[in-house]
Amino acid sequence: MSVLYRKYRPQQFGEVIGQNHIKVTLASEVISEAIAHAYLFVGPRGTGKTTLARLFARAINCQNRKKNSAEPCNTCPSCEQIRADRSLDVMEIDAATHTQVDNVRENIISSAHVPPLNQNGYKVFIIDEIHMLSKHAFNALLKTIEEPPIRVVFILATTDIYKVPSTVISRCQRFDFKKIPQTLVIERLKSISAREGVTVPAPVLASVARKSEGCLRDAESLLGQVLSLAEKGSVSQESAELVIPRSNWSEIEQLLGELSQQNVSAALSRLHELADQGADLEILLDDCIEFTRQLLLKKTIGPTFQPNADENAAQAVSRLAEQFSAQELRRLLEIFMLESHRSKVATIPELPLELACIAYCLEQSAPHLRREIPKKTETQVAEPASQPTMSMDMLSQLKIFWPQLLHMLKGHNHSLAVFLKVAHPIQIQNDHLTIGFKYDFHANTVGESKNKRFAEDAFSELLGKRVSIDCIVDPQYTENHKNFAGMNEKEVQDVLSVMGGEVL
């Protein structure tokens, strides 16, 4: 089986998927014969830059193109030579392998002064990855682009526009390519599968489209791998999972549905069921982040937002977004992202998602974890500065994740982890965390510039926002550390009801 993206490369403007704003403009220029001397195609990989460049080169050199039509005939000698990469009038150059000024002079500048063999056509230079050229090569090319020979067209393509000099950009007609919407990618994959005579389940096509992230070439390459597993004209879901991980969106919809009801037991049962079925929990966590992101965008933007997903998933997003508030979705997304960072050091694969489910449900369903500190009145006596004054939701978060913080630090600085193991947070105000120690030596060591900076990075990752720390000796260390290290009885029961176990 030949490579699909080459086998089914569009041969007409009408066959190109997406990029309508570019296709219409280029087609109008072909019909009106208002051809610019230089074009700059900018955009992500696999979105049609080279394809449209080749089509445009074929269209302006076609000998049998119909009047008031931009489509090349694909049968005349000029079209056939360009399609077979044998035309001397169309040159494709990979700037990534021809970066030096000598390459530009020999392959482009000298050739540009040779008239096209097709007297009614154009000499076209398609230069891919133009941003890879050296500074001297750009300078040499600039003069030719600025004052090009008659009937010479340059088409420059890049995925990194910021590396292209502004002097080059200003002399080109620029077109910005966009990622292909997932719905269009799925339709394209369906069409190719049908033409190959292979039946592929819709969830597999949706997974391929989502995995490609708007890059049609990647999607077609993945589809080629899936089709190679076909038996008797069809591909099973199980076979496709050998190439691309199973789509978790339907399972995630159920998992988030449980979280929307703060049903942590059901959510964890669902998670453990997926783990027993062999789901890749790292991919599942990434999918949770993307799904929650789609929910938050839907909730925030409203009906005009179209999720980047297949029809069934888009309906699930719309349906589930009604069960959350925007604030709840924002917090849930923060927790998932925080656990995604921690998953790299987790020794138990299920742990990051378990902690995410527990943390969210405890925050949402346990009012005693979110109670506010009473405001002081004029008759009240101010409490000592060493008493914990942080909000209880932040305190509960630190209690839950403090062991993992120590684990994170232990791999980099064992002493720092040991000192923080016998410390506790006192207060947090304006993103400034005060930590209490029993001994002056511990406070001073952790407060040293290098250790402090490292600890601040770890705490910032833990809390999901940038915080600074201050290390002090706590006059009421024994009482405060006991309150922090040992959760109160009700908080313990909340965790035990979810995870099981007993207090030792």
Side-chain angles (χ1 to χ4, degrees):
M1 181 182 295
S2 62
V3 180
L4 292 183
Y5 74 83
R6 291 181 179 175
K7 183 177 181 179
Y8 294 103
R9 186 185 291 274
Q11 302 300 318
Q12 302 281 338
F13 282 105
E15 297 176 4
V16 176
I17 304 299
Q19 319 303 349
N20 289 332
H21 62 297
I22 299 175
K23 291 189 296 184
V24 171
T25 304
L26 293 178
S28 298
E29 292 187 4
V30 171
I31 294 173
S32 63
E33 297 185 356
I35 310 300
H37 68 279
Y39 296 86
L40 180 60
F41 290 177
V42 182
R45 71 183 194 283
T47 51
K49 297 187 296 297
T50 304
T51 295
L52 273 175
R54 291 176 178 176
L55 274 174
F56 186 70
R58 202 183 311 153
I60 62 179
N61 281 291
C62 181
Q63 297 169 332
N64 296 327
R65 182 167 49 83
K66 296 180 180 179
K67 187 178 181 180
N68 296 326
S69 174
E71 302 290 3
C73 70
N74 293 323
T75 58
C76 69
S78 178
C79 286
E80 289 183 346
Q81 290 174 4
I82 296 174
R83 290 179 63 184
D85 293 328
R86 291 186 288 105
S87 175
L88 297 177
D89 288 343
V90 177
M91 298 181 61
E92 286 194 41
I93 300 171
D94 181 13
T97 55
H98 298 82
T99 62
Q100 301 304 313
V101 62
D102 291 338
N103 301 128
V104 172
R105 288 172 179 160
E106 294 172 4
N107 298 327
I108 301 176
I109 298 176
S110 59
S111 300
H113 292 281
V114 179
L117 297 180
N118 180 2
Q119 295 182 356
N120 295 321
Y122 293 83
K123 201 172 191 70
V124 182
F125 293 89
I126 301 174
I127 309 177
D128 200 12
E129 302 298 337
I130 187 68
H131 62 273
M132 298 294 289
L133 289 181
S134 66
K135 180 180 179 181
H136 295 297
F138 268 123
N139 291 335
L141 180 62
L142 180 61
K143 184 65 177 178
T144 305
I145 292 179
E146 192 174 25
E147 299 177 1
I150 299 175
R151 304 191 78 79
V152 171
V153 175
F154 291 94
I155 303 179
L156 317 179
T158 179
T159 55
D160 195 345
I161 186 61
Y162 299 105
K163 293 183 180 179
V164 181
S166 58
T167 51
V168 173
I169 297 174
S170 64
R171 288 164 174 79
C172 299
Q173 193 175 112
R174 175 174 170 172
F175 292 95
D176 289 281
F177 286 66
K178 301 176 182 178
K179 288 186 175 182
I180 312 298
Q182 196 172 119
T183 52
L184 294 181
V185 173
I186 293 174
E187 289 301 320
R188 175 68 172 174
L189 298 180
K190 285 181 181 177
S191 174
I192 292 177
S193 301
R195 292 163 73 176
E196 290 290 315
V198 179
T199 301
V200 182
V204 174
L205 295 179
S207 295
V208 172
R210 187 158 50 248
K211 185 72 174 177
S212 68
E213 298 180 342
C215 173
L216 186 59
R217 184 175 62 234
D218 287 0
E220 292 174 347
S221 296
L222 282 173
L223 180 64
Q225 298 178 48
V226 171
L227 296 184
S228 67
L229 302 172
E231 296 181 0
K232 298 181 180 180
S234 64
V235 177
S236 66
Q237 182 93 29
E238 293 73 18
S239 297
E241 290 177 11
L242 297 175
V243 175
I244 186 169
R246 178 182 60 182
S247 172
N248 295 308
W249 279 41
S250 59
E251 289 85 354
I252 291 173
E253 179 189 1
Q254 299 175 27
L255 177 64
L256 295 188
E258 304 292 356
L259 292 181
S260 70
Q261 303 299 319
Q262 290 89 48
N263 191 341
V264 68
S265 298
L268 291 178
S269 297
R270 178 80 60 186
L271 175 61
H272 294 156
E273 181 181 343
L274 291 173
D276 292 340
Q277 293 174 358
D280 189 319
L281 297 182
E282 186 174 350
I283 294 177
L284 179 64
L285 181 53
D286 290 340
D287 288 346
C288 283
I289 292 174
E290 177 58 26
F291 196 98
T292 308
R293 170 179 171 267
Q294 297 288 330
L295 289 176
L296 181 58
L297 292 174
K298 184 68 175 179
K299 190 70 177 182
T300 304
I301 299 175
T304 59
F305 174 73
Q306 296 298 323
N308 188 19
D310 61 274
E311 184 177 353
N312 291 335
Q315 292 176 356
V317 168
S318 299
R319 183 169 56 252
L320 197 56
E322 297 299 322
Q323 301 180 31
F324 289 91
S325 68
Q327 180 66 18
E328 289 171 340
L329 289 171
R330 183 194 65 81
R331 181 59 188 147
L332 181 58
L333 185 57
E334 286 180 343
I335 293 174
F336 279 142
M337 292 178 66
L338 184 62
E339 292 305 327
S340 179
H341 287 294
R342 295 186 183 135
S343 65
K344 298 175 179 59
V345 296
T347 56
I348 303 174
E350 298 90 345
L351 185 58
L353 275 168
E354 288 174 344
L355 289 175
C357 294
I358 294 170
Y360 176 76
C361 289
L362 283 178
E363 288 186 11
Q364 299 300 320
S365 63
H368 65 281
L369 295 180
R370 301 195 309 274
R371 62 179 179 268
E372 298 293 333
I373 301 298
K375 293 184 178 180
K376 299 175 183 178
T377 63
E378 294 181 358
T379 58
Q380 288 178 314
V381 179
E383 298 181 4
S386 61
Q387 290 290 332
T389 60
M390 65 178 63
S391 61
M392 290 305 294
D393 60 338
M394 188 72 72
L395 179 60
S396 64
Q397 186 177 352
L398 285 171
K399 285 180 178 178
I400 293 172
F401 296 134
W402 196 269
Q404 190 152 350
L405 170 74
L406 300 178
H407 181 77
M408 292 167 58
L409 293 173
K410 188 176 180 180
H412 299 277
N413 189 321
H414 183 76
S415 298
L416 186 60
V418 171
F419 290 163
L420 284 172
K421 185 176 181 179
V422 293
H424 55 263
I426 292 179
Q427 66 178 3
I428 185 167
Q429 293 180 345
N430 300 324
D431 298 333
H432 186 83
L433 173 64
T434 302
I435 303 175
F437 294 84
K438 184 175 183 179
Y439 301 108
D440 187 68
F441 172 71
H442 291 174
N444 291 338
T445 302
V446 177
E448 290 178 358
S449 178
K450 183 178 179 181
N451 292 334
K452 181 179 179 181
R453 183 167 58 253
F454 194 86
E456 286 177 343
D457 291 341
F459 275 106
S460 298
E461 183 176 345
L462 177 77
L463 299 174
K465 61 179 181 178
R466 190 66 194 174
V467 297
S468 59
I469 66 170
D470 189 23
C471 303
I472 66 170
V473 175
D474 186 359
Q476 300 184 20
Y477 173 86
T478 302
E479 180 182 355
N480 288 340
H481 191 72
K482 180 180 179 180
N483 291 336
F484 177 74
M487 292 179 172
N488 64 52
E489 184 177 350
K490 184 166 179 51
E491 290 169 338
V492 170
Q493 293 304 320
D494 285 335
V495 176
L496 294 183
S497 66
V498 173
M499 301 296 291
E502 59 182 356
V503 179
L504 299 178

